[in-house]
């Protein structure tokens, strides 16, 4: 315990223990050496999705968040084809701390179309750690849910005396349902001290098909519904995508010091959204990062600096259309978002004694955001000015933390941590398309409020300072070789994001564009929002064979959130042209206009997961893997349910391993979603079961994957997929049909090939 491993010994152990698939040839990665050497085992055990598991998914998905779908406690909000949003124990999106190589990206889009994990392709990722229960303060901050720590590949170096190390990789995949196609290439050149590598990936897909027709004939009538082309009745509109990702890494290693530089560039020329009013018709991210990692007598140092710039453009994709075509050319509704993020951080692991580890660190991150909707020439409603949604928004976080990990005796290990964050938010003055009197003749009363809303917003104090304190206390008790218990308590605080605080227009057409829930409703910000404060207690029982041949883990959890940012209805308005009220305050079967508001909430549930070897026969080794997730989310102020809580669900996989073969049959069962958020008119979904077949064969340098997803072509609605607004006149709040959830994909055959050399 606490015994120091010589870094070189650790390197050798690692080089030999790595499967040939993961690490072809003798090579060392200093990151692993530094992390492994002399460190106490972590008091909290995050779930890790590693290289082998990720490689098994290359042919199945190009959505990096989807790599987490077998992690206990995790579910996914549906979004674009390569940008779903992970949820941990009912908390999603900005409520989680999601980092890629230590970089804290923020979705820069009023619909959160570009969340952090969407910037890396699965083939770029070497591992993802998920802290689902209690998050140590060293990996948290400005979040009330868990943390997701994704890392691209660590640099590799030639082993001593090996000379120049060169290796490469090339891969491709195809899926039948949506004609998805993609590929990846990678190359590395390294000496003992220097390493350079490049990885490039691309993926594209058409709209996918559900298991059966789900639309009315009218919805496919191009003259009525107005799309430019005829959609099939089983076609889930606005689900196509195309993405290109590049990553260049340089690294220098000398003794126990590593310096790394990474440059990333991603362009997504098109990603359509079945649960948003708009589509992403270009998103460009440029990023650069520097990292120093060093191992010293006293411990280790990890210093990072990064800069990221995002340019995001939205319009109606080919399945959606402009609301008013008469007397107007259909020019759509362009929307632009640009952001810049600069961050620096330092983290130090100090080994006080062989049984005490002190981890201290500091972080600074400055985020700038502009969100504007260019005026449309010749449009009566969208001009003559640009609509300024967020002007010069800024959100700056400065944080410091300290945590102390202690091994009291062979049975007990504890971790206590304290973190302070100062969050400053601000936004400049705004105006609507029309700064004088709005063109009431076109859309009625609703539009008129552009001027009133802008004046009220501009006159208000918009500068906010939050002092946020996080606290974590955890313990791990090892009863014997087959039983461990982890338990803990945490207080965590998250400040509102810029869209929650500073979107200002109450008009329905503007507010439906400010929606990152995917529920089709309109949202208006609230500068007076307070930070959310969560108190979480969680416990994990871990029964396992001494060698982990079998294991069973159970994690019950409970979270109470003060000032949870939920939504309340806006008052009903009467349309000046028709004289009719929109009944916004009371309607239960239409899309509605909402405003963000602090309320209190509680979430609780249970994760169960396990595996069991079944038999060793001539046909190979058979095993069983299982997973069950149960979550409840309640608004304590209204007594209602929280939005997008995954219903009870279960996964069971029968696995077979024989030589290079790894095959499985997987069953997924999900109950109907009937506990829904009434304030949002959330759509209920039915229960379903799915069956997937997976096969793969690995040689030393070649891997082949093939299989069928949704073998029986079952039709189902995605419980967390939001409201289907994938086609038609999505610009009008209720100009599309209400009440349809987004269907999941029907049967799809897939195949993938990866060659290393
Ligand atoms: Cu967007």
């Amino acid at each position: 315990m606490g015994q120091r491993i010589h870094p070189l010994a650790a390197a050798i152990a690692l080089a030999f223990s790595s499967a040939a698939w993961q690490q072809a040839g003798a090579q060392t990665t200093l990151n692993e050496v530094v992390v492994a050497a002399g460190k106490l085992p972590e008091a909290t055990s995050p779930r890790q999705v590693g290289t082998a598991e990720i490689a098994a998914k290359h042919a199945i998905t190009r959505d990096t968040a989807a790599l987490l779908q077998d992690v206990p406690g995790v579910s996914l909000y549906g979004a674009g084809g390569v940008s779903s949003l992970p949820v941990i124990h009912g908390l999603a999106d900005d409520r989680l701390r999601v980092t890629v190589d230590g970089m804290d990206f923020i979705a820069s889009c009023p619909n959160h179309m570009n969340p952090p994990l969407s910037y890396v392709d699965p083939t770029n990722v070497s591992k993802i750690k998920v802290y689902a229960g209690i998050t140590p303060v060293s990996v948290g901050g400005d979040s009330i849910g868990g943390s997701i720590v994704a890392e691209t590949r660590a640099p590799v170096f030639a082993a001593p005396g090996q000379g120049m190390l060169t290796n490469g990789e090339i891969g491709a995949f195809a899926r039948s349902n949506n004609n998805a196609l993609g590929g990846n290439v990678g190359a590395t050149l390294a000496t003992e001290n220097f390493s350079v590598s490049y990885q490039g990936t691309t993926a594209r897909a058409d709209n996918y098909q559900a298991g059966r027709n789900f639309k009315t004939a009218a919805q496919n009538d191009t003259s009525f519904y107005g799309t430019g082309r005829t959609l099939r009745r089983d076609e889930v509109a606005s689900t196509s995508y195309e993405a290109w990702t590049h990553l260049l890494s340089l690294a220098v290693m000398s003794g126990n010091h590593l310096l790394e530089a990474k440059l990333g560039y991603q362009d997504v020329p098109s990603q359509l959204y079945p649960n948003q009013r708009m589509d992403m018709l270009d998103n460009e991210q440029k990023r650069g990062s520097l990292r120093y990692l060093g191992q010293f007598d006293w411990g280790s140092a990890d210093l990072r600096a990064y800069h990221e710039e995002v340019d995001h453009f939205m319009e109606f994709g080919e399945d959606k259309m402009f609301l008013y075509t008469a007397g107007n050319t259909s020019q759509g509704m362009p929307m632009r978002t640009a952001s810049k993020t600069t961050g620096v951080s330092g983290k130090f692991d100090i080994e006080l004694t062989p049984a005490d580890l002190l981890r201290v660190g500091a972080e600074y991150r400055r985020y700038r955001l502009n969100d504007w909707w260019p005026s449309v020439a010749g449009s009566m409603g969208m001009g003559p000015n640009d609509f300024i949604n967020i002007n010069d928004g800024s959100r700056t976080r400065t944080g410091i933390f300290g945590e102390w990990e202690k091994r009291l005796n062979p049975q007990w290990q504890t971790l206590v941590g304290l973190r302070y964050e100062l969050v400053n938010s601000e936004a400049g003055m705004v105006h609507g398309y029309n700064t004088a009197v709005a063109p009431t003749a076109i859309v009625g009363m609703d539009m008129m409020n552009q001027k009133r809303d802008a004046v009220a917003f501009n006159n208000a104090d918009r500068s906010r300072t939050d002092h946020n304190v996080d606290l974590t206390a955890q313990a791990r008790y090892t009863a014997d070789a087959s039983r461990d218990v982890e338990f803990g308590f945490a207080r965590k605080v998250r400040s509102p994001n810029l869209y929650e605080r500073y979107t200002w227009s109450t008009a329905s057409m503007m507010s439906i564009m400010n929606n990152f829930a995917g529920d089709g409703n309109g949202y208006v910000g609230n500068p007076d929002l307070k930070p959310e404060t969560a108190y979480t207690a969680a416990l994990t029982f871990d029964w396992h064979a001494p060698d982990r041949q079998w294991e069973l883990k159970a994690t019950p959890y409970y979270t109470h959130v003060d000032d949870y940012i939920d939504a309340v209805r806006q008052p009903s308005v009467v349309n000046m042209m028709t004289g009719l009220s929109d009944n916004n305050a009371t309607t239960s079967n239409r899309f509605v206009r909402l405003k963000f508001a602090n309320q209190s909430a509680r979430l609780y549930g249970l994760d169960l997961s396990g595996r069991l070897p079944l038999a060793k026969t001539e046909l190979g080794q058979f095993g069983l893997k299982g997973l069950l997730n149960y979550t409840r989310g309640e608004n304590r102020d209204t007594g209602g349910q929280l939005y997008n809580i995954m219903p009870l669900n279960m996964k069971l996989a029968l696995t077979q391993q024989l030589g290079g073969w790894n095959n499985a049959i997987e069953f997924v069962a999900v109950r109907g979603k009937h506990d829904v958020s009434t304030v949002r008119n959330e759509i209920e979904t039915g229960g379903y079961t799915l069956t997937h077949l997976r096969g793969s064969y690995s040689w030393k340098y070649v891997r082949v994957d093939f299989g069928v997803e949704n073998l029986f072509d079952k039709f189902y609605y995605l419980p967390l997929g939001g409201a289907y607004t994938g086609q038609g006149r999505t610009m009008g709040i209720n100009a599309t049909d209400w009440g349809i959830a987004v269907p999941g994909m029907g049967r799809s055959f897939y195949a993938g090939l990866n060659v290393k050399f």
Side-chain angles (χ1 to χ4, degrees):
M1 171 215 75
Q3 192 185 351
R4 245 190 138 112
I5 305 160
H6 190 274
L8 189 65
I12 292 166
L14 263 160
F16 281 88
S17 66
S18 304
W21 173 249
Q22 297 168 36
Q23 307 261 332
Q27 50 195 229
T28 60
T29 67
L30 186 86
N31 300 40
E32 301 294 334
V33 176
V34 170
V35 170
K39 211 185 129 191
L40 293 165
E42 283 184 287
T44 48
S45 8
R47 287 292 180 122
Q48 182 164 315
V49 182
T51 312
E53 284 163 87
I54 294 170
K57 297 233 158 119
H58 286 170
I60 303 165
T61 183
R62 288 297 149 137
D63 178 7
T64 298
L67 300 175
L68 307 176
Q69 63 194 0
D70 297 335
V71 176
V74 176
S75 46
L76 300 167
Y77 281 14
V82 287
S83 65
S84 57
L85 295 154
V87 190
I88 299 177
H89 293 167
L91 298 168
D93 201 354
D94 283 357
R95 293 194 168 104
L96 307 179
R97 178 87 281 114
V98 184
T99 58
V100 175
D101 288 334
M103 294 178 282
D104 244 324
F105 300 142
I106 296 181
S108 294
C109 159
N111 307 146
H112 283 194
M113 288 176 167
N114 44 18
L117 294 177
S118 69
Y119 288 116
V120 279
D121 184 273
T123 55
N124 295 143
V125 182
S126 70
K127 65 179 175 193
I128 308 183
K129 281 186 189 175
V130 180
Y131 294 84
I134 304 290
T135 306
V137 294
S138 59
V139 292
D142 197 30
S143 58
I144 58 167
S147 293
I148 296 172
V149 180
E151 285 178 29
T152 61
R153 295 184 196 185
V156 292
F157 295 93
Q162 190 197 3
M164 183 81 85
L165 171 81
T166 56
N167 62 40
E169 182 181 354
I170 186 160
F173 78 97
R175 304 176 68 177
S176 69
N177 182 294
N178 54 351
N179 302 317
L181 271 178
N184 60 287
V185 293
T188 300
L189 193 65
T191 65
E192 281 173 47
N193 302 109
F194 183 76
S195 175
V196 54
S197 72
Y198 165 80
Q199 282 179 287
T201 68
T202 181
R204 62 155 306 280
D206 297 335
N207 287 343
Y208 67 76
Q209 295 165 48
R212 66 165 162 78
N213 292 348
F214 67 100
K215 294 182 279 195
T216 63
Q219 285 165 333
N220 298 275
D221 175 347
T222 52
S223 58
F224 174 80
Y225 234 75
T227 59
R229 66 195 179 86
T230 306
L231 293 158
R232 297 183 306 272
R233 286 174 64 191
D234 64 354
E235 179 175 351
V236 184
S238 301
T239 53
S240 67
Y241 59 85
E242 180 185 347
W244 295 81
T245 306
H246 306 270
L247 185 62
L248 181 68
S249 313
L250 299 160
V252 185
M253 177 167 76
S254 171
N256 286 334
H257 307 275
L258 174 76
L259 190 64
E260 245 184 299
K262 291 194 178 188
L263 291 172
Y265 175 76
Q266 188 198 54
D267 186 38
V268 179
S270 161
Q271 185 176 197
L272 310 188
Y273 287 72
N275 62 356
Q276 290 294 352
R277 309 297 185 134
M278 304 299 294
D279 295 306
M280 181 157 120
L281 293 189
D282 198 23
N283 192 84
E284 192 182 45
Q285 187 213 40
K286 297 174 203 150
R287 63 178 198 260
S289 63
L290 270 177
R291 182 192 194 192
Y292 164 79
L293 191 60
Q295 174 80 19
F296 302 90
D297 293 339
W298 49 266
S300 63
D302 187 349
L303 310 175
R304 297 178 192 258
Y306 63 92
H307 182 74
E308 181 219 23
E309 295 191 4
V310 174
D311 281 301
H312 176 72
F313 175 66
M314 292 199 288
E315 246 300 1
F316 299 115
E318 59 179 6
D319 302 334
K320 294 172 186 160
M321 71 164 294
F322 192 49
L323 185 58
Y324 306 100
T325 44
N328 237 322
T329 46
S330 304
Q331 294 188 60
M333 182 179 180
M335 297 168 70
R336 292 192 175 275
T337 312
S339 72
K340 289 182 184 179
T341 305
T342 304
V344 289
S345 67
K347 199 192 263 191
F348 305 89
D349 284 10
I350 303 159
E351 290 163 32
L352 300 174
T353 74
D356 294 87
L357 180 73
L358 180 67
R359 203 174 279 129
V360 294
E363 258 175 73
Y364 171 84
R365 188 187 64 175
R366 183 166 194 259
Y367 175 71
R368 300 289 299 266
L369 173 80
N370 276 297
D371 195 295
W372 73 104
W373 309 345
S375 65
V376 176
S379 159
M380 284 180 283
M382 294 184 290
N385 304 294
D386 292 353
F387 182 95
I388 308 299
N389 194 34
I390 290 182
N391 176 28
D392 230 346
S394 76
R395 195 172 185 280
T396 307
R397 285 172 53 200
T398 310
I400 50 166
F401 66 84
E403 66 185 22
W404 175 28
E405 218 169 287
K406 183 171 181 63
R407 183 167 278 236
L408 298 166
N409 57 45
Q411 274 81 45
W412 282 94
Q413 198 170 343
T414 56
L415 176 75
V416 289
L418 177 66
R419 183 180 183 112
Y420 166 75
E421 289 225 4
L422 173 70
V423 182
N424 292 302
S425 326
E426 245 185 290
M429 307 246 266
V430 295
H431 60 74
Y433 286 116
N434 196 314
T435 54
V437 180
T440 58
I442 308 170
V443 271
M445 182 81 174
D446 210 8
M447 270 297 260
M448 270 183 77
N449 298 328
Q450 276 189 64
K451 185 174 181 185
R452 182 201 70 185
D453 292 346
V455 168
F457 181 84
N458 293 339
N459 286 338
D461 174 20
R462 299 177 304 276
S463 171
R464 293 289 180 274
T465 303
D466 305 319
H467 301 277
N468 301 339
V469 175
D470 287 6
L471 270 167
T472 296
Q474 286 169 277
R476 181 193 183 94
Y477 172 65
T478 305
D480 53 44
S482 60
R483 283 178 303 169
D484 300 278
V485 185
E486 267 178 48
F487 55 96
F489 172 81
R491 176 195 200 264
K492 304 189 71 194
V493 186
R494 174 186 80 98
S495 286
N497 67 39
L498 295 177
Y499 289 102
E500 287 166 332
R501 261 186 178 150
Y502 300 123
T503 51
W504 56 274
S505 175
T506 59
S508 65
M509 187 189 94
M510 317 311 177
S511 64
I512 54 174
M513 302 304 169
N514 281 309
N515 177 323
F516 41 85
D519 60 2
N521 297 310
Y523 286 83
V524 181
N526 177 356
D528 294 326
L529 286 177
K530 291 190 284 265
E532 300 179 318
T533 304
Y535 300 90
T536 301
L539 181 66
T540 297
F541 297 100
D542 180 359
W543 291 277
H544 52 87
D547 61 356
R548 291 215 173 257
Q549 274 283 308
W550 62 266
E551 64 173 31
L552 178 66
K553 287 189 184 187
T555 304
Y557 56 91
Y558 181 91
T559 298
H560 172 87
V561 191
D562 282 332
D563 296 318
Y564 181 86
I565 299 172
D566 209 320
V568 294
R569 294 278 177 96
Q570 297 267 63
S572 303
V573 294
V574 176
N575 187 302
M576 269 176 65
M577 286 166 71
T578 61
L580 297 173
S581 168
D582 66 357
N583 295 323
N584 187 71
T586 53
T587 183
S588 60
N589 60 358
R590 314 244 296 167
F591 293 113
V592 292
R593 292 173 290 107
L594 301 164
K595 184 185 175 95
F596 290 112
N598 286 120
Q599 295 182 322
S600 65
R602 72 172 174 198
L603 300 106
Y604 55 93
L606 173 71
D607 310 332
L608 273 179
S609 65
R611 63 195 151 100
L612 186 68
L614 288 179
K616 221 171 190 170
T617 70
E618 283 178 3
L619 293 171
Q621 252 177 294
F622 290 88
L624 210 54
K625 278 198 295 191
L627 177 62
L628 179 142
N629 296 304
Y630 171 73
T631 313
R632 301 269 308 164
E634 295 160 6
N635 182 313
R636 302 302 303 276
D637 288 15
T638 63
Q641 309 294 323
L642 299 185
Y643 174 69
N644 250 5
I645 298 295
M646 186 69 186
L648 179 68
N649 63 92
M650 204 179 113
K651 284 176 195 168
L652 205 59
L654 177 67
T655 59
Q656 180 212 15
Q657 199 263 321
L658 177 67
W661 288 102
N662 267 297
N663 304 321
I665 175 163
E666 287 179 15
F667 303 99
V668 178
V670 181
R671 288 195 65 172
K673 186 183 72 176
H674 305 296
D675 290 324
V676 290
S677 162
T678 45
V679 70
R680 290 171 159 89
N681 288 345
E682 183 178 359
I683 301 159
E684 295 189 23
T685 55
Y688 59 92
T689 56
L690 301 174
T691 307
H692 309 306
L693 293 182
R694 314 215 181 277
S696 83
Y697 193 87
S698 304
W699 292 268
K700 191 172 181 190
Y701 297 110
V702 179
R703 179 186 173 114
V704 181
D705 286 89
F706 50 91
V708 197
E709 293 224 286
N710 194 357
L711 177 68
F712 300 111
D713 206 19
K714 280 275 181 71
F715 179 84
Y716 67 106
Y717 287 107
L718 296 165
L720 305 188
Y724 181 63
T725 50
Q727 65 179 86
R729 300 163 197 255
T730 59
M731 189 179 184
I733 184 166
N734 278 300
T736 56
D737 294 342
W738 179 87
I740 309 174
V742 177
M745 194 185 284
R747 183 190 297 127
S748 189
F749 295 90
Y750 68 86
L753 171 72
N754 210 302
V755 182
K756 298 198 175 199
F757 48 86

